[in-house]
Amino acid sequence: MNRSRLLGTAFAVVASIGLATAAQAEVESKDPIKLTLHDWTGQLVTTKIMGSVLQNAGYNVEYVQADYIAQFAGLKTGDLHVAMEMWETTGREAMDEATATGKVENLGETGMLAVEEWWYPSYMKELCPGLPNWEALNDCAEVFSTPETAPMGRYLGAPVTWGGFDDERVEALELDYEVVHAGTDAALFAELESAYQRKAPILLWVYAPHWAQIKYEGEWIEFPEYTAECYNDPSWGSNEDMAYDCGKPRGPIWKVAWAGVKDKWPGAHAAIKNFTISNDEMAGMIAQIDLEGRDLDAVVADWVKANEATWKGWIGQ
């Protein structure tokens, strides 16, 4: 997978705006389209932009807090309708399983390209000159250790609900590291901020699009390149007995929906398929929210106002 700020409204939130009667009459159903919200800023922005566009087209929108992977149970049954961000890096397996049932549909790419991997600040290369090669990690385990993990190195992973197979990767690559999962996205990057200010050792999960690459200098660890066989065939790679002896996949961020959306709300279905936004646009909005302290809904409203020609194209106006 805010991955930097938790919602003040932690559960289902119904969002509506004053819509003209004529606009309401044009939509195929007045039942709410349920869009899922997760626990990282970018996904909240993506979803709120899409929700605002659908509202402007006359649709009734409901935002529902849901787990990133477990949401597929609701998408299969139609209790949930749209998830705006499934990352190739961590969500591909769950997405493929769901779409194979025919109950969930892949609505295409968001326009954003995802990277999620182990990351370190540039100043750490002085203490571990073999970086970014993953094979240097064991030589520098004590450099990355803490009193709680010594002599093992410490890797600060993402919240466990994000997936990513970091615990399996450590075991498969025989890394002398303990994976410590951050409780929240905010905690993850608060620790990076603290370490960076002190030039203290830190090795952690960083993802893009995100503001971290704007604010900090650093690099991702270069693991053996991901292949599908690495995750599915233990005999592949350096460890012939275990899978996940490689890095995470990289690629698009996808949109998915309950398969019934195209029949019940065909106009909304088309608009969601048309949605696209760039990494740079998203990173800029995330930075406004997480670094400048701007209200998320205000940032979304500004984008919607400034990009009216773009989103009207999505809804065919």
Side-chain angles (χ1 to χ4, degrees):
M1 282 142 84
N2 62 38
R3 283 181 182 187
S4 291
R5 168 178 306 193
L6 292 177
L7 287 176
T9 53
F11 300 100
V13 178
V14 178
S16 61
I17 59 177
L19 299 169
T21 303
Q24 287 281 19
E26 293 173 2
V27 304
E28 304 86 5
S29 171
K30 295 181 181 179
D31 291 344
I33 302 174
K34 297 179 181 180
L35 281 68
T36 60
L37 296 174
H38 305 321
D39 58 348
W40 66 95
T41 303
Q43 195 273 345
L44 304 180
V45 171
T46 306
T47 306
K48 290 293 188 78
I49 287 175
M50 190 72 253
S52 296
V53 170
L54 293 176
Q55 288 172 331
N56 277 294
Y59 292 96
N60 184 14
V61 169
E62 183 177 333
Y63 297 115
V64 182
Q65 192 76 23
D67 181 87
Y68 177 54
I69 300 298
Q71 69 179 331
F72 279 107
L75 291 167
K76 290 175 184 176
T77 61
D79 293 320
L80 301 172
H81 301 136
V82 179
M84 288 300 298
E85 289 194 15
M86 289 307 303
W87 290 45
E88 181 80 12
T89 46
T90 51
R92 185 72 201 216
E93 289 186 329
M95 181 174 69
D96 285 349
E97 186 279 328
T99 56
T101 67
K103 298 176 182 179
V104 175
E105 181 183 5
N106 184 333
L107 296 187
E109 300 180 17
T110 60
M112 296 180 288
L113 295 176
V115 180
E116 296 188 272
E117 196 55 271
W118 295 32
W119 185 97
Y120 60 90
S122 295
Y123 59 77
M124 289 305 301
K125 292 189 78 168
E126 296 181 12
L127 301 174
C128 187
L131 295 175
N133 189 325
W134 72 274
E135 292 177 302
L137 288 173
N138 278 352
D139 294 334
C140 305
E142 289 198 44
V143 170
F144 284 107
S145 69
T146 65
E148 293 75 22
T149 68
M152 304 283 282
R154 178 179 183 263
Y155 167 71
L156 182 62
V160 292
T161 57
W162 295 7
F165 304 106
D166 280 326
D167 296 273
E168 293 86 347
R169 183 169 294 106
V170 165
E171 187 176 0
L173 290 174
E174 299 179 345
L175 297 175
D176 299 328
Y177 283 76
E178 181 177 333
V179 178
V180 178
H181 290 279
T184 65
D185 180 66
L188 182 70
F189 289 101
E191 190 153 343
L192 171 58
E193 173 75 27
S194 175
Y196 204 91
Q197 289 181 355
R198 295 178 289 112
K199 294 295 185 287
I202 190 167
L203 179 66
L204 77 163
W205 175 311
V206 167
Y207 62 90
H210 192 263
W211 54 261
Q213 295 80 52
I214 299 173
K215 187 171 184 179
Y216 305 118
E217 291 186 13
E219 296 177 320
W220 277 289
I221 296 292
E222 293 178 358
F223 288 109
E225 186 174 355
Y226 166 85
T227 71
E229 291 79 14
C230 172
Y231 276 27
N232 300 318
D233 180 3
S235 67
W236 182 96
S238 59
N239 188 329
E240 297 182 356
D241 298 318
M242 299 188 69
Y244 307 110
D245 48 347
C246 63
K248 296 180 176 70
R250 300 185 180 191
I253 299 175
W254 306 90
K255 303 160 288 188
V256 297
W258 169 53
V261 169
K262 63 180 178 297
D263 297 319
K264 186 168 184 176
W265 300 283
H269 179 268
I272 297 163
K273 289 190 72 174
N274 289 335
F275 172 99
T276 185
I277 199 165
S278 71
N279 276 41
D280 288 344
E281 283 182 286
M282 180 55 61
M285 285 188 279
I286 294 170
Q288 288 183 56
I289 297 160
D290 291 344
L291 297 182
E292 300 173 20
R294 291 199 64 205
D295 178 73
L296 187 147
D297 289 326
V299 171
V300 168
D302 285 351
W303 187 96
V304 171
K305 182 178 180 180
N307 293 274
E308 184 173 359
T310 296
W311 61 257
K312 280 192 171 181
W314 300 347
I315 60 179
Q317 290 185 359

